[in-house]
Amino acid sequence: MPKKAKAAGSRKEEGPVPCKQMKVEAAGGPSALNFESPSSLFESLISPINTETFFKEFWEQKPLLIRRDDPALATYYGSLFKLTDLKSLCSQGMYYGRDVNVCRCVSGKKKVLNKDGKAHFLQLRKDFDQKRATIQFHQPQRFKDELWRIQEKLECYFGSLVGSNVYITPAGSQGLPPHYDDVEVFILQLEGEKHWRLYHPTVPLAREYSVEAEGRLGRPVHEFTLKPGDLLYFPRGTIHQADTPVGLAHSTHVTLSTYQNNSWGDFLLDTISGLVFDTAKEDVELRGGIPRQLLLVESTAVATRRLSGFLRMLADRLEGTKELLSSDMKKDFIMHRLPPYSAGDGVELSTPGGKLPRLDSVVRLQFKDHIVLTVLPDQDQSDEAQEKMVYIYHSLKNRRETHMMGNEEETESHGLRFPWSHLDALKQIWNSSAISVKDLKLTTDEEKENLMSGTQHLWKKVSHRGCLRDGEKPELEGGKNSVFTWKD
């Protein structure tokens, strides 16, 4: 929600980092984030900076500090995670390494103080108090509903995974050495104060995490102290370190991170294979064999020139392509992201008595932010006979408990598969707020009703390997986790 901005630089310890001061109007009531939509959530998160300014001047370019003179927002931030929350969380079965790390920065290096097995609150508190260790809690959105609510909306907003870590550091201590990350970072200060130093990137928009030797850092370009309710953003590659000042209470902050492996380079790698696959069907030169023993020798000038020619030809073809044969990034995102936020026992979608839509029904797509529509070769056919199929993947059945935890063996994608001939009809549903089944662009009324009916020859569940399982009930059949709703 909009706030009055106050002139930056009102506190002497602030460095040259761009800073905005936010103050609550006396009659404005308590401050809170706006969850009406993904865009309104992000707007309220970075208020009073507007999103146009943020993406034009700061995103992937330079840090932004937003100070808040807002007791209500500070209280709200403090409710997201507290040191005392660890007691109840440990009672649920937290493990060192997986859920919790205990560490301290000693002589510019990270010293890990983890025990084996389950983490017990009394031991964590002992290491915290006596060894001045930082407690790092991984992916708290798995357990804290309000962080789930925030991160689910941010994943809709960015179209990218959003993870989080909580750092709880005692006074006079530092948990991590100077380093940079491969993610865009938003810091929310929850409890106490944290002193930050930021340095120019040695690798702008870095693609990997790296520790930096203190002797190479030089002077920080930004230095300031965050207080509850404050927000700090900095791009991936920004070298940073933080400590809790001596003589103060402990500090708790949460780091929200996004845009890992989400660059143009990643997208190019994801799309080029599909483009080559399509083009090779029509271009005999691409189907020709490479020279004998090319794989046994260094690349030759002839091979390089040939590849350059193919790339120019693919670039020309790409200019006129409407449907990019690309799905890995889309599928990975939808498969690993958070399910829609629900304050109850999971996502419950209303359907009229579990009935199937008829020809005169009006249908609409639910949870569009949690669904991707993509085109892929049919994975049930051999390479020689593969035809394009339309896939809809959704995250309605994803497990919050495994979000960002790397449990690949426990992860499967949920989705639906359609013949290529249904693409236009699916796009109608995708692009309409509501549409009558009889108006779908399909040849016969039977096809229109079959599209809605969930018959097994159209609707199948997709396993985590992208193959299709037969004999499983589709999500469309009404009740929980339905992709569509309708009215007669």
Side-chain angles (χ1 to χ4, degrees), residues 412-424:
E412 65 176 5
S413 59
H414 303 280
L416 309 168
R417 180 181 73 160
F418 303 87
W420 173 256
S421 59
H422 286 56
L423 179 60
D424 287 341

Side-chain angles (χ1 to χ4, degrees), residues 46 80 111 184 283 287 325 342 400 422:
I46 65 168
L80 297 178
K111 183 177 182 180
E184 301 295 302
D283 194 309
R287 301 199 299 272
L325 197 61
S342 170
R400 168 195 178 191
H422 286 56

Side-chain angles (χ1 to χ4, degrees), residues 7 18 47 56 63 67 77 187 235 252 264 289 291 300 315 353 355-356 358 380 382 394 402 405 429 443 477:
S47 176
K56 182 178 180 181
R67 294 199 179 280
Y77 273 23
I187 306 289
T252 303
W264 278 111
T300 65
K355 297 177 182 178
L356 294 173
R358 302 187 299 270
D380 273 1
S382 66
H394 66 80
T402 60
M405 293 301 290
I429 298 172
T443 306
E477 292 185 0

Side-chain angles (χ1 to χ4, degrees), residues 114-125:
N114 286 353
K115 306 294 189 292
D116 293 326
K118 280 189 178 182
H120 299 283
F121 177 70
L122 291 179
Q123 182 62 55
L124 288 176
R125 190 65 201 244

Side-chain angles (χ1 to χ4, degrees), residues 370-391:
H370 284 265
I371 299 167
V372 295
L373 187 153
T374 189
V375 176
L376 282 171
D378 185 355
Q379 297 163 14
D380 273 1
Q381 296 180 345
S382 66
D383 289 343
E384 293 79 10
Q386 279 186 332
E387 296 180 358
K388 288 182 181 178
M389 299 290 288
V390 186
Y391 289 77

